[in-house]
Amino acid sequence: MADQQKEQRSTPVRDKARSLSRVSNDWLVEGGELGRLIRGTDWSATALGPLQRWPQSMRTVVSLVVENEFPMLLLWGPELLGLYNDACRTMFADRHPDALGRPMREAWPELWPHCGPVVAAVLGSGKARFSQDVRLRVRRHGRLEDATFTLSESPVRTEDGRIGGVLVTLQETSAEIERDRLLREIELAPDGYFLSDAEGHYVEVNDAGCRMLQCTRAEILGRTAWDFMSEADQVRLRQLHETPQPTGIRRFELTLRRPDGSELPLDVHTRLLPNGLRQSIARDISERKAQERERQLELEAMERLHQVSTLFLHGQDSDALLGTILEAAMAIAGADFGNIRAVTPRTGELKMVAQRNFPDWWLELGEQAGAGHGSSARALAQRAQVIVEDVTVRKLEQRAIQEANATNESLIAAMPDMLFQLDGELRIVRHHADRMDL
């Protein structure tokens, strides 16, 4: 009877033990792909032992790792066998799933020279470590590549207080580092960088773009590219954007209109980004345009000279020949007007034999200057250079001074009082002559 009561009293204990045993065999119920792989792996042949015999401290951390969406890796035991989650899977790339449960010095050998000493320091000191944007060489998909990581290594203690492993929380920051590098390059680039939204309003611009527009960043953001274009460029650019391009990159030239009225020719590359924003890179081509204009002038000059040669060959009259020569010289010099003067051999007079675009008053002045043996005629005969100075401003200033002196003389003459003008030593240098009765 007593044995039966003892067995009855002990039955709930045995049931509870059986229940705990069943729970211990399926304690890892979530965790995505890595959770299923860990549950489905026979760990009895490894240093970790059967899944149901893992210590509670390890179970807790493994559950935390596989159910976390942040990349995590648990290194456990003397061999530092690795258990990681789905978020960390992409970092192992083609090593997954073979890296699961292997010593990390074998699964990730190229990283171990850096990570090994850090993990050893955590195991030895029991203190966590943190490293930000560490640059490492990682082998992925059969090739080595540079990558940056932010890492945190923390000790994991067992039930008796000993350190059983290290929890590594890591995040690859390669994309952010590359983005920041590109942004720095864009900011320092000599070309203008513009970012606009779907409606065409600027949302970002670099310093070079501000210099091109001669505006501050605050004055540019929120405005559109149309605000800085001529109407013709606006129409042409809208038509260009409506035409599909295979690569999605469009290139065109336009003339930028600045607030002060000046213009700047630009070569623009633009493309639509996946996020719906439009990226435009503009390059100042004013120097290239100036060179193109110079080449065009040279071509026009050569054409003029060809015309002169043709006139010589066909025996054209002198007036047409001189006119063509003058036009060729003006094209070469980029001049807006010009004339040819010749010295009459018998009289030595300087005579205008061809001119283009001079006003009538200048022609009359030229006739007066050429009458007689003036300096221009002598210089031309001697093949010397003549520099003609514009003295209009100086003559106007002299005339103003003369008029002011005359006005002063009139005022002095009209004054009833005696007037003296003294120098620095108080000597009389000028006086009112009509009042000198002393």
Side-chain angles (χ1 to χ4, degrees):
M1 186 69 174
D3 293 339
Q4 184 178 2
Q5 290 178 349
K6 183 177 180 181
E7 183 179 353
Q8 290 176 351
R9 285 196 302 269
S10 62
T11 297
V13 175
R14 289 197 300 271
D15 291 343
K16 185 176 181 180
R18 296 191 189 99
S19 177
L20 287 173
S21 176
R22 286 195 300 270
V23 171
S24 65
N25 289 331
D26 58 2
W27 56 268
L28 192 61
V29 295
E30 300 291 344
E33 178 189 349
L34 268 300
R36 291 191 296 272
L37 283 174
I38 293 173
R39 286 194 301 270
T41 299
D42 181 10
W43 297 101
S44 58
T46 71
L48 296 177
L51 190 70
Q52 63 271 20
R53 294 184 182 177
W54 289 3
Q56 185 59 48
S57 55
M58 182 181 176
R59 296 184 188 184
T60 301
V61 177
V62 170
S63 297
L64 171 69
V65 167
V66 298
E67 296 186 31
N68 204 296
E69 295 185 0
F70 204 86
M72 289 183 173
L73 167 68
L74 176 63
L75 305 178
W76 192 263
E79 297 183 15
L80 297 174
L81 306 181
L83 301 172
Y84 51 91
N85 60 6
D86 287 0
C88 198
R89 178 185 54 197
T90 56
M91 297 184 185
F92 284 94
D94 50 351
R95 305 178 199 221
H96 172 75
D98 293 339
L100 186 65
R102 291 183 60 192
M104 278 299 100
R105 64 178 176 275
E106 298 176 5
W108 233 344
E110 69 274 18
L111 294 187
W112 200 245
H114 170 81
C115 298
V118 176
V119 171
V122 173
L123 292 171
S125 66
K127 295 181 179 179
R129 300 286 295 270
F130 176 79
S131 305
Q132 187 171 11
D133 296 332
V134 179
R135 191 175 185 87
L136 301 170
R137 295 280 286 173
V138 184
R139 183 176 297 279
R140 288 187 285 205
H141 305 292
R143 61 185 178 88
L144 281 172
E145 60 183 53
D146 290 326
T148 54
F149 296 88
T150 293
L151 303 145
S152 174
E153 297 89 0
S154 305
V156 178
R157 298 187 181 275
T158 60
E159 288 77 1
D160 58 4
R162 293 182 297 106
I163 298 177
V166 175
L167 176 63
V168 181
T169 304
L170 67 162
Q171 177 67 49
E172 184 172 357
T173 57
S174 303
E176 291 78 4
I177 295 296
E178 179 65 13
R179 181 197 62 197
D180 293 343
R181 184 188 66 80
L182 290 174
L183 288 176
R184 286 193 300 271
E185 288 185 359
I186 288 170
E187 193 59 38
L188 298 174
D191 297 332
Y193 178 87
F194 302 87
L195 202 62
S196 54
D197 60 19
E199 288 74 33
H201 297 95
Y202 289 131
V203 297
E204 187 54 68
V205 58
N206 67 349
D207 288 345
C210 294
R211 289 192 296 270
M212 286 180 175
L213 296 176
Q214 293 184 345
C215 296
T216 64
R217 185 175 273 101
E219 292 170 336
I220 296 173
L221 298 184
R223 300 180 68 180
T224 67
W226 319 118
D227 297 331
F228 302 96
M229 296 183 196
S230 65
E231 292 183 3
D233 277 340
Q234 291 182 25
V235 173
R236 186 169 60 87
L237 191 58
R238 285 192 173 96
Q239 292 174 346
L240 185 65
H241 284 328
E242 292 171 359
T243 304
Q245 294 286 335
T247 62
I249 299 176
R250 305 178 188 277
R251 180 179 179 180
F252 52 88
E253 293 183 4
L254 59 85
T255 301
L256 188 71
R257 286 190 172 180
R258 294 160 163 169
D260 64 356
S262 62
E263 295 184 343
L264 183 69
L266 298 176
D267 180 26
V268 182
H269 291 72
T270 181
R271 67 185 180 119
L272 193 63
L273 300 178
N275 57 7
L277 299 178
R278 181 170 294 278
Q279 178 192 66
S280 301
I281 299 176
R283 175 164 294 180
D284 180 357
I285 56 173
S286 55
E287 184 175 348
R288 192 190 81 192
K289 287 295 185 181
Q291 293 173 351
E292 290 176 355
R293 285 193 295 269
E294 290 178 2
R295 287 194 295 268
Q296 183 62 32
L297 289 174
E298 291 173 357
L299 291 174
E300 292 176 0
M302 292 176 65
E303 179 63 26
R304 295 287 187 185
L305 294 175
H306 175 70
Q307 294 174 5
V308 171
S309 301
T310 303
L311 290 174
F312 272 116
L313 291 173
H314 291 82
Q316 295 291 328
D317 63 273
S318 59
D319 289 342
L321 181 60
L322 290 171
T324 304
I325 292 174
L326 176 59
E327 291 172 358
M330 290 171 59
I332 293 173
D336 296 323
F337 51 87
N339 66 79
I340 297 177
R341 295 171 182 268
V343 176
T344 305
R346 288 178 299 176
T347 63
E349 292 182 351
L350 187 65
K351 183 180 179 181
M352 186 180 297
V353 293
Q355 68 87 20
R356 292 291 185 271
N357 304 330
F358 277 105
D360 293 338
W361 64 269
W362 179 266
L363 297 176
E364 294 175 1
L365 183 61
E367 291 296 330
Q368 297 173 8
H373 307 280
S375 60
S376 296
R378 290 195 303 271
L380 186 59
Q382 299 169 5
R383 296 185 178 182
Q385 184 180 20
V386 177
I387 299 176
V388 181
E389 180 183 1
D390 185 355
V391 296
T392 304
V393 175
R394 190 174 71 193
K395 289 295 185 182
L396 291 174
E397 291 175 348
Q398 291 176 353
R399 183 180 300 173
I401 292 172
Q402 292 172 356
E403 292 176 353
N405 289 336
T407 302
N408 290 338
E409 292 293 341
S410 300
L411 291 173
I412 291 173
M415 293 181 65
D417 299 325
M418 187 177 298
L419 182 65
F420 297 93
Q421 183 177 353
L422 307 178
D423 62 10
E425 297 179 359
L426 301 181
R427 291 178 298 188
I428 298 175
V429 296
R430 189 179 178 192
H431 58 81
H432 197 315
D434 295 339
R435 302 291 187 271
M436 289 296 292
D437 299 330
L438 297 178

